[in-house]
Amino acid sequence: MKNILMILRFEYLRQIRRRSFLFTVLGVPLLIGMVFGIIVLVSMNVHAEQKIGIVDLSGDSTGINVSMLDLDTVIPVTYFDTEAAAQAAFEARGVDAYAVIPADYITTGRIAVTTREHLSDAGRNEIEAIAHAGVLARVPPDARARLAEPMHLTLRSPESGREIEADNFLMFLLPYLFALLFTLTTFMTSGYLLQAVTEEKEERIVEILATTVAPHELMAGKILGLSAVGLTQMGIWIGLVVIVVLSLSPDLSWLAQVHLPLSLLLLALLYFVLGYLLICSCYAAIGASVTTPQEAQPLVAPISMLALSPLFLVVVILAQPNGMLATILSFIPFSAPVTMLLRLPIADVPSWEIVVNLLVLTIFVYGAMVLAGRVMRLGLLNYGKRLSLREMFGREQRVSRAAAKVDPL
Amino acid sequence: MNLVMIIAWREITTLLRRASFWIAALGGPLVAIAMLLGIGYVGRQFGDQTTPGQTNAGPATGFVDKAGVIRSIPTADRALVLPFQTEDEASAAMRAGRIGSFFIVAPDYMKSGQVTRVSPQVGILSDSAQDTRLFQAVLDTNLVGDAQLARRLTDTPDMQVHVVNPTNGTTTTQPSSPFSGISYGLALILAISIANGGGQLLQAVAEEKENRTIEILLTSAPSWKIMAGKLLGLSTVVLIQFLAWLVIARLLIGAQGLMQVDVGSVPVFLWLWVVIYYLLGFLLLGGLMLVLASVGASMRESGQFSGLMTIPVVAPLWFSASIVENPSGWLARGLSLFPLTAPVTMMLRLGQGAVAPWELAVSLGLLALSVLGAIVAAARLFRASTLLTGTKPTPVAIWRALRST
């Protein structure tokens, strides 16, 4: 235990003092801040029409014309009676763009817009809003107020009776943020782990270490120490985000929109920890089985691919959290953590499913940790040689004999 | 020349034997296929607009109308939207599999607009799922009294934008979004492929430097030939890989039902520019990577800085929204002049058809010049640095090496 703590402390301090650590911790937020800054700057002086012309020909039979509605508009609007008048104003540069709502608009839904440049989003939205107001004016007066506002939809799960407002975007953003946080922390730590293990093997320090500590202690110390590094980094980033959010909007009333039962949070935490341990142990095992970091790349790629796949398919999973794809991904140990983090906050995941996939995940975590310790020991005996799969998973005696054959001394 | 070819050939064969190359070459398209299939699937399930009565054959939906607003169901929808008297009845029907979901219209619906959807599938797009749209159409039709008017109220107008050229008065139609989707896809492939190729090149050189094979090589070939051979070999492989990705992308886009995009609408010139910008972009990043490999003492050290070179190549993708929205703004123009960002930025802009010929010429000229500069610098530094193996060159030494001929 004392040894594990010592290795933990050593690894933690060594990584924290590295230049590349500082670079990542400060550089990434700085880069993101810069990108946001430029986007904000660009969107501030984005081109938009100064004045828009509207020709409404759809009112011929009903007598309703958008020009009579006295609408509030963002971009100033001039109404014309005929297309020719609008065109003349456009050519004289009285308007930057004009839209013609044709006589058959109610049946076809088509609007023709003429502009000098690209039609801006603001211009497009305004024309849509005006056309909408024209349609609304034809609706019976008693239903008009209701139809002017969108339907207020609440989504209810039949089993638990949990309800989510369909427009509560925070509830849908949250699972995504959870999953992203998990992925970032996990891959950061496992990257450090892979590097630390292969580096020591390359420099052959590990053999000196092995004379004083047991290989599994060495592994445990490294995994814990580097996890602490990953969590520190995450903590700093989360702290920065909180500071930015607080300074931008001190009013925190929007937090009330988030309603997550405690049991759910605990379950999410469990998936987080198990997934973290699984991927870190696998990376450590791979790091111990190869001789250089380059060799490790192709071996870790399938694992990271599988673990990241739910993020690539996030749209499908968030749209149908109990669909077939989401269910399948939840049963594969490597993709289970991210998938479940995405599903849990919004969907009613059947309890048997949670039990079974937690069980599978736990078995895999245990297996990976045992494997990591074992590979570390075998890797020491087989210096300069990559371990084959048979050696990693096979019975130990056979491995030692194989090792003896390679090196008769 | 012969030496260059030998080195190029060796580079090609080693690269093809490297597992990491194949993972990148095959992994990228695999991820793309998975994402496209996923998006295509969601697109089919949650399309933008539906005509009531013309939905795909899915399970029917039900409703419990506590506000008494639904007086009749349009004939076409009667099999798909079933009325129930109570919530229990509807729940029972859902358990029996007769309906996939049901809606409860609150008693004060006219005031609050409150509707509850009960379904085992609660997801981010539930408010635009087929059953929701179908039920909303029925509800709106009852409120409005006319199906067509109700539809016009919910659907976004189909806008056709004509852009009049102020100088000659010609009219063109503003490209609709699928087309810019293709140019975004091309820019993405370009960015990933250039960055990946640069990384492979860095690894190839740094590795040889680290295990000191390079010194033996230098006894039989001059440094510039080694550089040229490596660059040639890698660009051949990476270009083939890139073209293969393009073909896969084209097949994917063309595959029925995945995306409703008319590939024929992509002009030939765009495909041509993609290849030109790709080659120049790769040569530039490759040259810079060679510089890094020469300056850095070890693989790890060079690797740390390579990220700095790759970021500008990928960066225009972060601003893609701004560039596409405003293709002739100062950001788009500036990024297309800076050589490292030019390839990806130009791909995004060319898709919008908003690039003046002089801009294209200037951007290509600057890019070509910097390619030349990077390769010359790499060759000079390479020679100087092999003489200084193990030490980290000082800025003065780097400067001196750059000036030597």
Side-chain angles (χ1 to χ4, degrees), chain A residues 20 31 35 38-39 42 45-47 90 93 105-119 121 124 127-128 132 135-136 138 140 142-143 146-147 151-158 163 166 172 195 199 202 293-294 298 301 305 312-313 316 318-323 346, chain B residues 19 23 27 31 34-35 38 41-42 45-46 87 94 104 109-110 112-127 132 136 139-140 143-144 148-149 152-153 156-164 166 174 203 207 299-300 304 308 311 318-319 322 324-326 330-331:
Chain A
S20 60
L31 195 71
V35 169
I38 295 180
I39 290 177
V42 169
N45 54 18
V46 78
H47 123 101
F90 176 71
R93 305 220 165 216
Y105 175 66
I106 299 296
T107 27
T108 62
R110 273 203 205 102
I111 297 178
V113 181
T114 308
T115 171
R116 217 163 270 123
E117 256 183 86
H118 187 86
L119 179 68
D121 281 352
R124 184 179 289 266
I127 295 170
E128 274 174 20
H132 189 259
V135 178
L136 200 60
R138 291 173 170 82
D142 50 331
R146 173 82 295 282
L147 287 163
M151 171 169 98
H152 190 85
L153 191 68
T154 304
L155 309 173
R156 185 193 292 171
S157 308
E163 290 190 347
F172 294 106
Q195 203 187 357
E199 217 172 65
E202 216 177 334
Q294 283 88 37
M305 228 35 147
F312 297 138
L313 297 166
V316 188
L318 285 186
Q320 299 206 327
N322 278 343
I346 52 173
Chain B
I23 285 172
V31 170
M35 284 176 81
Y41 169 77
V42 173
Q45 295 289 313
F46 309 87
E87 280 180 43
M94 190 160 75
I104 305 162
Y109 171 73
M110 286 309 281
S112 66
Q114 179 62 48
V115 173
T116 305
R117 173 181 183 263
V118 184
S119 161
Q121 289 290 1
V122 171
I124 190 164
L125 295 171
S126 291
D127 53 347
T132 313
Q136 177 150 32
L139 191 60
D140 285 356
L143 286 177
V144 174
Q148 210 154 44
L149 205 58
R152 200 51 53 231
L153 215 49
T156 36
D158 169 18
M159 240 182 256
Q160 284 165 324
V161 182
H162 307 286
V163 182
V164 179
Q174 184 166 319
Q203 197 184 339
E207 222 171 60
M299 175 71 208
R300 207 162 296 129
Q304 275 172 6
L308 281 181
I311 286 173
W318 304 336
F319 306 116
S322 309
V324 169
E325 160 73 4
N326 203 359
W330 58 268
L331 181 77

Side-chain angles (χ1 to χ4, degrees), chain B residues 199-221:
Chain B
Q200 297 282 357
L201 189 62
L202 180 73
Q203 197 184 339
V205 178
E207 222 171 60
E208 272 179 9
K209 231 186 110 176
E210 215 172 302
N211 60 27
R212 314 192 68 163
T213 316
I214 209 83
E215 286 164 41
I216 301 166
L217 277 181
L218 272 176
T219 57
S220 36

Side-chain angles (χ1 to χ4, degrees), chain A residues 23-199:
Chain A
F23 189 74
T24 328
V25 162
L26 299 178
V28 172
L30 211 68
L31 195 71
I32 294 175
M34 246 166 57
V35 169
F36 268 107
I38 295 180
I39 290 177
V40 168
L41 247 158
V42 169
S43 57
M44 261 174 7
N45 54 18
V46 78
H47 123 101
E49 290 76 12
Q50 298 298 315
K51 199 157 200 173
I52 290 183
I54 299 279
V55 187
D56 186 3
L57 305 173
S58 66
D60 289 351
S61 53
T62 48
I64 293 169
N65 191 300
V66 286
S67 63
M68 313 181 311
L69 295 175
D70 193 27
L71 298 167
D72 263 342
T73 56
V74 185
I75 303 171
V77 172
T78 315
Y79 298 98
F80 297 97
D81 290 335
T82 61
E83 198 175 338
Q87 198 182 348
F90 176 71
E91 275 161 14
R93 305 220 165 216
V95 289
D96 298 317
Y98 69 92
V100 180
I101 304 175
D104 59 355
Y105 175 66
I106 299 296
T107 27
T108 62
R110 273 203 205 102
I111 297 178
V113 181
T114 308
T115 171
R116 217 163 270 123
E117 256 183 86
H118 187 86
L119 179 68
S120 73
D121 281 352
R124 184 179 289 266
N125 291 342
E126 177 133 328
I127 295 170
E128 274 174 20
I130 291 172
H132 189 259
V135 178
L136 200 60
R138 291 173 170 82
V139 167
D142 50 331
R144 203 174 294 155
R146 173 82 295 282
L147 287 163
E149 296 290 322
M151 171 169 98
H152 190 85
L153 191 68
T154 304
L155 309 173
R156 185 193 292 171
S157 308
E159 299 301 323
S160 63
R162 234 154 65 81
E163 290 190 347
I164 299 177
E165 308 298 307
D167 58 356
N168 184 350
F169 83 102
L170 212 58
M171 280 304 283
F172 294 106
L173 195 66
L174 214 60
Y176 187 66
L177 287 181
F178 272 161
L180 215 58
L181 198 70
F182 169 81
T183 322
L184 269 177
T185 322
T186 308
F187 282 95
M188 232 152 42
T189 312
S190 44
Y192 286 137
L193 205 57
L194 190 68
Q195 203 187 357
V197 174
T198 47
E199 217 172 65

Side-chain angles (χ1 to χ4, degrees), chain B residues 58-63 79-84 98-103 117-118 130-132 134-135:
Chain B
T61 189
F63 68 88
L80 290 168
V81 183
L82 312 174
F84 291 92
R98 276 175 58 216
I99 52 172
S101 61
F102 65 91
F103 294 83
R117 173 181 183 263
V118 184
Q130 264 180 35
D131 57 337
T132 313
L134 192 62
F135 176 68

Side-chain angles (χ1 to χ4, degrees), chain B residues 320-376:
Chain B
S320 57
S322 309
I323 293 172
V324 169
E325 160 73 4
N326 203 359
S328 21
W330 58 268
L331 181 77
R333 287 221 159 105
L335 287 180
S336 19
L337 293 182
F338 183 61
L340 274 176
T341 49
V344 174
T345 314
M346 275 303 195
M347 276 311 100
L348 290 171
R349 292 181 62 194
L350 283 166
Q352 303 296 312
V355 186
W358 68 266
E359 252 185 282
L360 212 55
V362 173
S363 141
L364 276 176
L366 283 176
L367 190 56
L369 272 181
S370 36
V371 167
L372 207 68
I375 291 177
V376 169

